[in-house]
Amino acid sequence: MVTMSDVARAAGVSVMTVSNVLNGRSNVGADTRLRVLEVVEELGYEINLTARRLRSGRTGTIGLIVPQFDLHYYGELASRISEALAPEGMHLVVEQSGASRERELSALSLARLQQYDGVLLSAVGLDMADLDRIHPDVPIVLLGEQAVPERYHRVRMSNVAGARLATEHLIDRGARRVAVLGGKLSAAHPEMATYRADGWSRALEEAGLPPDPGLVIPLRTYSIAEARGAIADALAGGTEIDGIFAVTDEVAIGALAGLHDAGLRVPDDVQLAGFDNLGISEHLVPGLTTIDPDHAAMVTAALRLLRRQLEDRTAEPEHVVSDVRLIVRGTTRAHGDSVPSA
Amino acid sequence: MVTMSDVARAAGVSVMTVSNVLNGRSNVGADTRLRVLEVVEELGYEINLTARRLRSGRTGTIGLIVPQFDLHYYGELASRISEALAPEGMHLVVEQSGASRERELSALSLARLQQYDGVLLSAVGLDMADLDRIHPDVPIVLLGEQAVPERYHRVRMSNVAGARLATEHLIDRGARRVAVLGGKLSAAHPEMATYRADGWSRALEEAGLPPDPGLVIPLRTYSIAEARGAIADALAGGTEIDGIFAVTDEVAIGALAGLHDAGLRVPDDVQLAGFDNLGISEHLVPGLTTIDPDHAAMVTAALRLLRRQLEDRTAEPEHVVSDVRLIVRGTTRAHGDSVPSA
DNA sequence: ATGAAAGCGCTAACAC
DNA sequence: GTGTTAGCGCTTTCAT
């Protein structure tokens, strides 16, 4: 392994000069700089980031912690953030917290957080108390939907509004028995599933349709397979449904399969709307009606909040709520279609 | 920030004893250990991994470098690897190399690689020459399909065999004009797309059907959207097709949409097979016929190769090829169905 | 414009 | 069982 002092010796300068050259500081003579760079090239020297980090504290790396790599939403999120950081000369690494409180807490240990200049945290298993216990000296921006202590900087979507929009749309297009797939009623600590079930129930109430608890179909993992099975079970159990608001697009994909299993046509027999507007949703057959949370704006906001903290550790916590809009595609009917006889 | 020497002072022992306790070494008295742990708890001390790494070289972290976070294949891969590492007390972080040679080379800089105990590299943009230039002292296992220098440890799939299986199956079920979506004929340096096009053309030849270069539909990004557009273009250009072998499932999803756009039914008018057996593929409507590369075996093999190098830096390079099998689902016809008139 | 000294927080190696 | 010493490779600080 070639070190800075190897380079210094070979170039006949001090380590400090090599360091200055490599960090682009202006206090180095032009010819000295050139000679150092030549030697660096020749010896194949590369900086030891661990040593730099220990001494300077700076890492140039942002950490993104997500519950699961294989939920499409997080893949897309990571991709977007990575692309947005690249031009700033920062660099993203992604960790999976595993969706369990334990693994999430370990991912959030000071030890692990310290390794980053800043952390974007998409936590689902943690509650208020957990988050309140953490006092890292690393800037953190929370991405997500659960309730969090005031002091956190945070970006989230308009969950309730989005769920309401989707459900209203289903009702508007003729659905009367709208299930909420993946919804959860009044949990101990509110989270994505409760907010979105909330929007669903408000839309129903406003339309004069009492929310039927039998139409709340809870999920645990929000995987496609689980959603497909849950729909099958609900239908087998005799639940009558002519519309489904799926709390995520991933879940909606499972619903699409489950409905097909049961011989029901979408949108003729059952209409369907999701939430997230994943890249794939546009390309399903039929295309998935969904709620778009303006991903680009969320990423921009998250990085702005992070940068603010990077520049000023005492920056006031900010709480950004991203607007949502409805994207109508083939899983809901065109306006004016009649209500199906089923 | 609390350091080890703060703990040592408060516990009335030396730093070394604290270090020994925290590393679970057995040369510490029971009461001393207890006292140290109490102080650790009390002060909220957590180890500085950067300092440990600089001193000991060990990081406890494995790096996975993938071209893109938002291709589903890589999300699933990352998830599987992360889960497999957790019980070994190791911990995965994932980086995106961005699919361009430049970004990939920078992700492979010594500086970045050094940060990990080992690296799993899924490179697509690099050729033989690039890979030959890299001489890291970090154990690396290559995951992927391009040609690589002998000295690399490596896990890949049976690309040609898989593509052949899929194409044979399409022919067997009555397809006569089988396109290869995302295929590439004899590129300068072979890669996934060329190997899979190879399997396609061999299957055709063996069936006495000359491979028509007009049925090779190249792709650049292998995204769903690109694949959908490419199918639309091919059909609009008058290409006659009654079967499609898509080089990845992601691409097959785009094909499914493109065929639907053109009013063609799957599998009645056009049959379709993919490659990868993504989690979602089972849940498409219709279910996607595809090639399963035995993901679990690949992950196991990759980690075995990595562990071998971790234990013995001079371990002989090994080259594991994972078997593939055909998974028949709804995008291809049942046996004995007639060839469509179209 | 260049360099010497000190030290970031930890662990390897060796004493006792 | 516990402590002392040295030093990982870099950057901060300060001197020249």
Side-chain angles (χ1 to χ4, degrees), chain B residues 52-78:
Chain B
R52 168 186 280 177
R53 174 178 310 181
L54 178 59
R55 183 65 247 232
S56 74
R58 281 249 153 188
T59 74
T61 304
I62 301 295
L64 168 66
I65 300 172
V66 300
Q68 275 181 262
F69 287 136
D70 59 352
L71 285 183
H72 299 33
Y73 178 76
Y74 297 112
E76 294 189 11
L77 179 68

PDB file of all heavy atoms in Angstrom, chain B residues 52-78:
ATOM      1  N   ARG B  52     -11.238   2.461  14.582  1.00  0.00           N
ATOM      2  CA  ARG B  52     -10.974   1.025  14.611  1.00  0.00           C
ATOM      3  C   ARG B  52     -10.474   0.550  13.255  1.00  0.00           C
ATOM      4  O   ARG B  52      -9.523  -0.210  13.148  1.00  0.00           O
ATOM      5  CB  ARG B  52     -12.254   0.275  14.979  1.00  0.00           C
ATOM      6  CG  ARG B  52     -12.135  -1.218  14.753  1.00  0.00           C
ATOM      7  CD  ARG B  52     -13.442  -1.923  14.969  1.00  0.00           C
ATOM      8  NE  ARG B  52     -13.703  -2.143  16.385  1.00  0.00           N
ATOM      9  CZ  ARG B  52     -14.820  -2.695  16.836  1.00  0.00           C
ATOM     10  NH1 ARG B  52     -15.771  -3.039  15.995  1.00  0.00           N
ATOM     11  NH2 ARG B  52     -14.999  -2.885  18.116  1.00  0.00           N
ATOM     12  N   ARG B  53     -11.117   1.050  12.232  1.00  0.00           N
ATOM     13  CA  ARG B  53     -10.772   0.631  10.883  1.00  0.00           C
ATOM     14  C   ARG B  53      -9.346   1.065  10.520  1.00  0.00           C
ATOM     15  O   ARG B  53      -8.599   0.306   9.925  1.00  0.00           O
ATOM     16  CB  ARG B  53     -11.769   1.265   9.914  1.00  0.00           C
ATOM     17  CG  ARG B  53     -11.486   1.047   8.473  1.00  0.00           C
ATOM     18  CD  ARG B  53     -12.570   1.671   7.638  1.00  0.00           C
ATOM     19  NE  ARG B  53     -13.888   1.247   8.113  1.00  0.00           N
ATOM     20  CZ  ARG B  53     -15.027   1.616   7.566  1.00  0.00           C
ATOM     21  NH1 ARG B  53     -15.022   2.424   6.523  1.00  0.00           N
ATOM     22  NH2 ARG B  53     -16.164   1.199   8.055  1.00  0.00           N
ATOM     23  N   LEU B  54      -9.020   2.279  10.893  1.00  0.00           N
ATOM     24  CA  LEU B  54      -7.690   2.778  10.546  1.00  0.00           C
ATOM     25  C   LEU B  54      -6.627   1.925  11.214  1.00  0.00           C
ATOM     26  O   LEU B  54      -5.592   1.614  10.630  1.00  0.00           O
ATOM     27  CB  LEU B  54      -7.546   4.241  10.992  1.00  0.00           C
ATOM     28  CG  LEU B  54      -6.175   4.858  10.727  1.00  0.00           C
ATOM     29  CD1 LEU B  54      -5.854   4.822   9.231  1.00  0.00           C
ATOM     30  CD2 LEU B  54      -6.119   6.293  11.232  1.00  0.00           C
ATOM     31  N   ARG B  55      -6.893   1.553  12.441  1.00  0.00           N
ATOM     32  CA  ARG B  55      -5.911   0.803  13.192  1.00  0.00           C
ATOM     33  C   ARG B  55      -5.888  -0.675  12.785  1.00  0.00           C
ATOM     34  O   ARG B  55      -4.839  -1.246  12.529  1.00  0.00           O
ATOM     35  CB  ARG B  55      -6.235   0.920  14.692  1.00  0.00           C
ATOM     36  CG  ARG B  55      -5.265   0.252  15.614  1.00  0.00           C
ATOM     37  CD  ARG B  55      -3.919   0.924  15.530  1.00  0.00           C
ATOM     38  NE  ARG B  55      -2.941   0.026  14.941  1.00  0.00           N
ATOM     39  CZ  ARG B  55      -1.773  -0.260  15.492  1.00  0.00           C
ATOM     40  NH1 ARG B  55      -1.401   0.329  16.604  1.00  0.00           N
ATOM     41  NH2 ARG B  55      -0.970  -1.092  14.901  1.00  0.00           N
ATOM     42  N   SER B  56      -7.059  -1.280  12.727  1.00  0.00           N
ATOM     43  CA  SER B  56      -7.102  -2.737  12.582  1.00  0.00           C
ATOM     44  C   SER B  56      -7.298  -3.195  11.141  1.00  0.00           C
ATOM     45  O   SER B  56      -7.041  -4.345  10.817  1.00  0.00           O
ATOM     46  CB  SER B  56      -8.225  -3.311  13.436  1.00  0.00           C
ATOM     47  OG  SER B  56      -9.470  -3.041  12.838  1.00  0.00           O
ATOM     48  N   GLY B  57      -7.764  -2.301  10.304  1.00  0.00           N
ATOM     49  CA  GLY B  57      -8.006  -2.689   8.919  1.00  0.00           C
ATOM     50  C   GLY B  57      -9.356  -3.341   8.697  1.00  0.00           C
ATOM     51  O   GLY B  57      -9.874  -3.338   7.597  1.00  0.00           O
ATOM     52  N   ARG B  58      -9.944  -3.862   9.758  1.00  0.00           N
ATOM     53  CA  ARG B  58     -11.229  -4.544   9.608  1.00  0.00           C
ATOM     54  C   ARG B  58     -12.383  -3.544   9.680  1.00  0.00           C
ATOM     55  O   ARG B  58     -12.359  -2.619  10.478  1.00  0.00           O
ATOM     56  CB  ARG B  58     -11.399  -5.571  10.728  1.00  0.00           C
ATOM     57  CG  ARG B  58     -10.641  -6.839  10.486  1.00  0.00           C
ATOM     58  CD  ARG B  58     -11.597  -7.980  10.229  1.00  0.00           C
ATOM     59  NE  ARG B  58     -10.980  -8.999   9.404  1.00  0.00           N
ATOM     60  CZ  ARG B  58     -11.658 -10.023   8.903  1.00  0.00           C
ATOM     61  NH1 ARG B  58     -12.940 -10.143   9.145  1.00  0.00           N
ATOM     62  NH2 ARG B  58     -11.055 -10.904   8.151  1.00  0.00           N
ATOM     63  N   THR B  59     -13.382  -3.781   8.872  1.00  0.00           N
ATOM     64  CA  THR B  59     -14.491  -2.843   8.861  1.00  0.00           C
ATOM     65  C   THR B  59     -15.822  -3.492   9.216  1.00  0.00           C
ATOM     66  O   THR B  59     -16.747  -2.813   9.640  1.00  0.00           O
ATOM     67  CB  THR B  59     -14.660  -2.219   7.466  1.00  0.00           C
ATOM     68  OG1 THR B  59     -15.230  -3.195   6.601  1.00  0.00           O
ATOM     69  CG2 THR B  59     -13.326  -1.783   6.902  1.00  0.00           C
ATOM     70  N   GLY B  60     -15.930  -4.791   9.011  1.00  0.00           N
ATOM     71  CA  GLY B  60     -17.204  -5.461   9.252  1.00  0.00           C
ATOM     72  C   GLY B  60     -18.244  -5.166   8.189  1.00  0.00           C
ATOM     73  O   GLY B  60     -19.395  -5.530   8.310  1.00  0.00           O
ATOM     74  N   THR B  61     -17.809  -4.494   7.138  1.00  0.00           N
ATOM     75  CA  THR B  61     -18.742  -4.071   6.103  1.00  0.00           C
ATOM     76  C   THR B  61     -18.357  -4.632   4.743  1.00  0.00           C
ATOM     77  O   THR B  61     -17.200  -4.608   4.355  1.00  0.00           O
ATOM     78  CB  THR B  61     -18.762  -2.532   6.023  1.00  0.00           C
ATOM     79  OG1 THR B  61     -19.088  -2.003   7.293  1.00  0.00           O
ATOM     80  CG2 THR B  61     -19.769  -2.054   5.007  1.00  0.00           C
ATOM     81  N   ILE B  62     -19.343  -5.154   4.059  1.00  0.00           N
ATOM     82  CA  ILE B  62     -19.158  -5.615   2.690  1.00  0.00           C
ATOM     83  C   ILE B  62     -19.837  -4.606   1.766  1.00  0.00           C
ATOM     84  O   ILE B  62     -20.923  -4.120   2.070  1.00  0.00           O
ATOM     85  CB  ILE B  62     -19.809  -7.001   2.488  1.00  0.00           C
ATOM     86  CG1 ILE B  62     -19.195  -8.032   3.451  1.00  0.00           C
ATOM     87  CG2 ILE B  62     -19.667  -7.461   1.047  1.00  0.00           C
ATOM     88  CD1 ILE B  62     -17.741  -8.319   3.198  1.00  0.00           C
ATOM     89  N   GLY B  63     -19.192  -4.273   0.679  1.00  0.00           N
ATOM     90  CA  GLY B  63     -19.782  -3.348  -0.285  1.00  0.00           C
ATOM     91  C   GLY B  63     -20.357  -4.103  -1.471  1.00  0.00           C
ATOM     92  O   GLY B  63     -19.770  -5.074  -1.929  1.00  0.00           O
ATOM     93  N   LEU B  64     -21.515  -3.667  -1.901  1.00  0.00           N
ATOM     94  CA  LEU B  64     -22.093  -4.219  -3.127  1.00  0.00           C
ATOM     95  C   LEU B  64     -22.227  -3.054  -4.098  1.00  0.00           C
ATOM     96  O   LEU B  64     -22.840  -2.031  -3.765  1.00  0.00           O
ATOM     97  CB  LEU B  64     -23.466  -4.838  -2.851  1.00  0.00           C
ATOM     98  CG  LEU B  64     -24.298  -5.190  -4.086  1.00  0.00           C
ATOM     99  CD1 LEU B  64     -23.649  -6.297  -4.899  1.00  0.00           C
ATOM    100  CD2 LEU B  64     -25.714  -5.602  -3.679  1.00  0.00           C
ATOM    101  N   ILE B  65     -21.657  -3.205  -5.264  1.00  0.00           N
ATOM    102  CA  ILE B  65     -21.718  -2.117  -6.236  1.00  0.00           C
ATOM    103  C   ILE B  65     -22.546  -2.569  -7.419  1.00  0.00           C
ATOM    104  O   ILE B  65     -22.214  -3.561  -8.074  1.00  0.00           O
ATOM    105  CB  ILE B  65     -20.303  -1.707  -6.670  1.00  0.00           C
ATOM    106  CG1 ILE B  65     -19.537  -1.252  -5.424  1.00  0.00           C
ATOM    107  CG2 ILE B  65     -20.352  -0.598  -7.708  1.00  0.00           C
ATOM    108  CD1 ILE B  65     -18.078  -0.999  -5.670  1.00  0.00           C
ATOM    109  N   VAL B  66     -23.641  -1.874  -7.635  1.00  0.00           N
ATOM    110  CA  VAL B  66     -24.552  -2.245  -8.722  1.00  0.00           C
ATOM    111  C   VAL B  66     -24.680  -1.072  -9.693  1.00  0.00           C
ATOM    112  O   VAL B  66     -24.452   0.075  -9.316  1.00  0.00           O
ATOM    113  CB  VAL B  66     -25.947  -2.610  -8.180  1.00  0.00           C
ATOM    114  CG1 VAL B  66     -25.875  -3.795  -7.223  1.00  0.00           C
ATOM    115  CG2 VAL B  66     -26.608  -1.416  -7.506  1.00  0.00           C
ATOM    116  N   PRO B  67     -25.038  -1.359 -10.919  1.00  0.00           N
ATOM    117  CA  PRO B  67     -25.159  -0.285 -11.903  1.00  0.00           C
ATOM    118  C   PRO B  67     -26.288   0.685 -11.568  1.00  0.00           C
ATOM    119  O   PRO B  67     -26.129   1.887 -11.693  1.00  0.00           O
ATOM    120  CB  PRO B  67     -25.455  -1.015 -13.212  1.00  0.00           C
ATOM    121  CG  PRO B  67     -25.095  -2.436 -12.986  1.00  0.00           C
ATOM    122  CD  PRO B  67     -25.258  -2.684 -11.514  1.00  0.00           C
ATOM    123  N   GLN B  68     -27.429   0.140 -11.145  1.00  0.00           N
ATOM    124  CA  GLN B  68     -28.574   1.012 -10.919  1.00  0.00           C
ATOM    125  C   GLN B  68     -29.443   0.472  -9.800  1.00  0.00           C
ATOM    126  O   GLN B  68     -29.807  -0.707  -9.807  1.00  0.00           O
ATOM    127  CB  GLN B  68     -29.437   1.085 -12.176  1.00  0.00           C
ATOM    128  CG  GLN B  68     -28.972   2.105 -13.168  1.00  0.00           C
ATOM    129  CD  GLN B  68     -29.910   2.117 -14.358  1.00  0.00           C
ATOM    130  OE1 GLN B  68     -29.639   1.499 -15.380  1.00  0.00           O
ATOM    131  NE2 GLN B  68     -31.026   2.814 -14.194  1.00  0.00           N
ATOM    132  N   PHE B  69     -29.816   1.367  -8.895  1.00  0.00           N
ATOM    133  CA  PHE B  69     -30.691   0.961  -7.799  1.00  0.00           C
ATOM    134  C   PHE B  69     -32.089   0.626  -8.294  1.00  0.00           C
ATOM    135  O   PHE B  69     -32.799  -0.145  -7.677  1.00  0.00           O
ATOM    136  CB  PHE B  69     -30.825   2.099  -6.788  1.00  0.00           C
ATOM    137  CG  PHE B  69     -29.598   2.313  -5.960  1.00  0.00           C
ATOM    138  CD1 PHE B  69     -29.119   3.592  -5.726  1.00  0.00           C
ATOM    139  CD2 PHE B  69     -28.922   1.243  -5.410  1.00  0.00           C
ATOM    140  CE1 PHE B  69     -27.996   3.803  -4.944  1.00  0.00           C
ATOM    141  CE2 PHE B  69     -27.788   1.437  -4.626  1.00  0.00           C
ATOM    142  CZ  PHE B  69     -27.330   2.722  -4.396  1.00  0.00           C
ATOM    143  N   ASP B  70     -32.512   1.246  -9.388  1.00  0.00           N
ATOM    144  CA  ASP B  70     -33.928   1.121  -9.740  1.00  0.00           C
ATOM    145  C   ASP B  70     -34.214   0.037 -10.775  1.00  0.00           C
ATOM    146  O   ASP B  70     -35.316  -0.040 -11.286  1.00  0.00           O
ATOM    147  CB  ASP B  70     -34.484   2.483 -10.174  1.00  0.00           C
ATOM    148  CG  ASP B  70     -33.735   3.038 -11.357  1.00  0.00           C
ATOM    149  OD1 ASP B  70     -32.712   2.448 -11.744  1.00  0.00           O
ATOM    150  OD2 ASP B  70     -34.167   4.068 -11.897  1.00  0.00           O
ATOM    151  N   LEU B  71     -33.227  -0.795 -11.078  1.00  0.00           N
ATOM    152  CA  LEU B  71     -33.562  -2.010 -11.812  1.00  0.00           C
ATOM    153  C   LEU B  71     -33.894  -3.061 -10.761  1.00  0.00           C
ATOM    154  O   LEU B  71     -33.120  -3.294  -9.831  1.00  0.00           O
ATOM    155  CB  LEU B  71     -32.397  -2.464 -12.697  1.00  0.00           C
ATOM    156  CG  LEU B  71     -32.180  -1.630 -13.964  1.00  0.00           C
ATOM    157  CD1 LEU B  71     -31.045  -2.211 -14.810  1.00  0.00           C
ATOM    158  CD2 LEU B  71     -33.463  -1.563 -14.793  1.00  0.00           C
ATOM    159  N   HIS B  72     -35.057  -3.674 -10.910  1.00  0.00           N
ATOM    160  CA  HIS B  72     -35.564  -4.540  -9.855  1.00  0.00           C
ATOM    161  C   HIS B  72     -34.604  -5.672  -9.533  1.00  0.00           C
ATOM    162  O   HIS B  72     -34.518  -6.135  -8.405  1.00  0.00           O
ATOM    163  CB  HIS B  72     -36.926  -5.107 -10.269  1.00  0.00           C
ATOM    164  CG  HIS B  72     -37.958  -4.040 -10.490  1.00  0.00           C
ATOM    165  ND1 HIS B  72     -37.658  -2.802 -10.985  1.00  0.00           N
ATOM    166  CD2 HIS B  72     -39.283  -4.025 -10.283  1.00  0.00           C
ATOM    167  CE1 HIS B  72     -38.760  -2.080 -11.067  1.00  0.00           C
ATOM    168  NE2 HIS B  72     -39.774  -2.804 -10.655  1.00  0.00           N
ATOM    169  N   TYR B  73     -33.911  -6.128 -10.549  1.00  0.00           N
ATOM    170  CA  TYR B  73     -32.990  -7.229 -10.322  1.00  0.00           C
ATOM    171  C   TYR B  73     -31.984  -6.893  -9.219  1.00  0.00           C
ATOM    172  O   TYR B  73     -31.691  -7.726  -8.356  1.00  0.00           O
ATOM    173  CB  TYR B  73     -32.243  -7.566 -11.623  1.00  0.00           C
ATOM    174  CG  TYR B  73     -31.235  -8.656 -11.443  1.00  0.00           C
ATOM    175  CD1 TYR B  73     -31.629  -9.982 -11.347  1.00  0.00           C
ATOM    176  CD2 TYR B  73     -29.878  -8.362 -11.334  1.00  0.00           C
ATOM    177  CE1 TYR B  73     -30.707 -10.992 -11.147  1.00  0.00           C
ATOM    178  CE2 TYR B  73     -28.941  -9.361 -11.136  1.00  0.00           C
ATOM    179  CZ  TYR B  73     -29.365 -10.677 -11.049  1.00  0.00           C
ATOM    180  OH  TYR B  73     -28.458 -11.667 -10.844  1.00  0.00           O
ATOM    181  N   TYR B  74     -31.472  -5.688  -9.232  1.00  0.00           N
ATOM    182  CA  TYR B  74     -30.436  -5.321  -8.267  1.00  0.00           C
ATOM    183  C   TYR B  74     -31.009  -5.112  -6.870  1.00  0.00           C
ATOM    184  O   TYR B  74     -30.347  -5.400  -5.879  1.00  0.00           O
ATOM    185  CB  TYR B  74     -29.670  -4.096  -8.755  1.00  0.00           C
ATOM    186  CG  TYR B  74     -28.933  -4.376 -10.044  1.00  0.00           C
ATOM    187  CD1 TYR B  74     -29.313  -3.772 -11.238  1.00  0.00           C
ATOM    188  CD2 TYR B  74     -27.897  -5.296 -10.075  1.00  0.00           C
ATOM    189  CE1 TYR B  74     -28.654  -4.062 -12.422  1.00  0.00           C
ATOM    190  CE2 TYR B  74     -27.241  -5.600 -11.250  1.00  0.00           C
ATOM    191  CZ  TYR B  74     -27.613  -4.971 -12.426  1.00  0.00           C
ATOM    192  OH  TYR B  74     -26.971  -5.280 -13.594  1.00  0.00           O
ATOM    193  N   GLY B  75     -32.229  -4.616  -6.817  1.00  0.00           N
ATOM    194  CA  GLY B  75     -32.879  -4.480  -5.517  1.00  0.00           C
ATOM    195  C   GLY B  75     -33.047  -5.835  -4.849  1.00  0.00           C
ATOM    196  O   GLY B  75     -32.771  -6.011  -3.660  1.00  0.00           O
ATOM    197  N   GLU B  76     -33.459  -6.796  -5.642  1.00  0.00           N
ATOM    198  CA  GLU B  76     -33.657  -8.140  -5.083  1.00  0.00           C
ATOM    199  C   GLU B  76     -32.327  -8.759  -4.688  1.00  0.00           C
ATOM    200  O   GLU B  76     -32.216  -9.420  -3.639  1.00  0.00           O
ATOM    201  CB  GLU B  76     -34.380  -9.026  -6.104  1.00  0.00           C
ATOM    202  CG  GLU B  76     -35.800  -8.548  -6.367  1.00  0.00           C
ATOM    203  CD  GLU B  76     -36.602  -9.541  -7.215  1.00  0.00           C
ATOM    204  OE1 GLU B  76     -36.132 -10.681  -7.428  1.00  0.00           O
ATOM    205  OE2 GLU B  76     -37.699  -9.171  -7.669  1.00  0.00           O
ATOM    206  N   LEU B  77     -31.330  -8.538  -5.520  1.00  0.00           N
ATOM    207  CA  LEU B  77     -30.000  -9.066  -5.222  1.00  0.00           C
ATOM    208  C   LEU B  77     -29.481  -8.492  -3.909  1.00  0.00           C
ATOM    209  O   LEU B  77     -29.013  -9.223  -3.019  1.00  0.00           O
ATOM    210  CB  LEU B  77     -29.057  -8.701  -6.372  1.00  0.00           C
ATOM    211  CG  LEU B  77     -27.602  -9.143  -6.236  1.00  0.00           C
ATOM    212  CD1 LEU B  77     -27.506 -10.665  -6.311  1.00  0.00           C
ATOM    213  CD2 LEU B  77     -26.735  -8.502  -7.324  1.00  0.00           C
ATOM    214  N   ALA B  78     -29.591  -7.181  -3.787  1.00  0.00           N
ATOM    215  CA  ALA B  78     -29.091  -6.500  -2.590  1.00  0.00           C
ATOM    216  C   ALA B  78     -29.808  -7.018  -1.350  1.00  0.00           C
ATOM    217  O   ALA B  78     -29.197  -7.261  -0.310  1.00  0.00           O
ATOM    218  CB  ALA B  78     -29.283  -4.996  -2.733  1.00  0.00           C
TER     219      ALA B  78
END
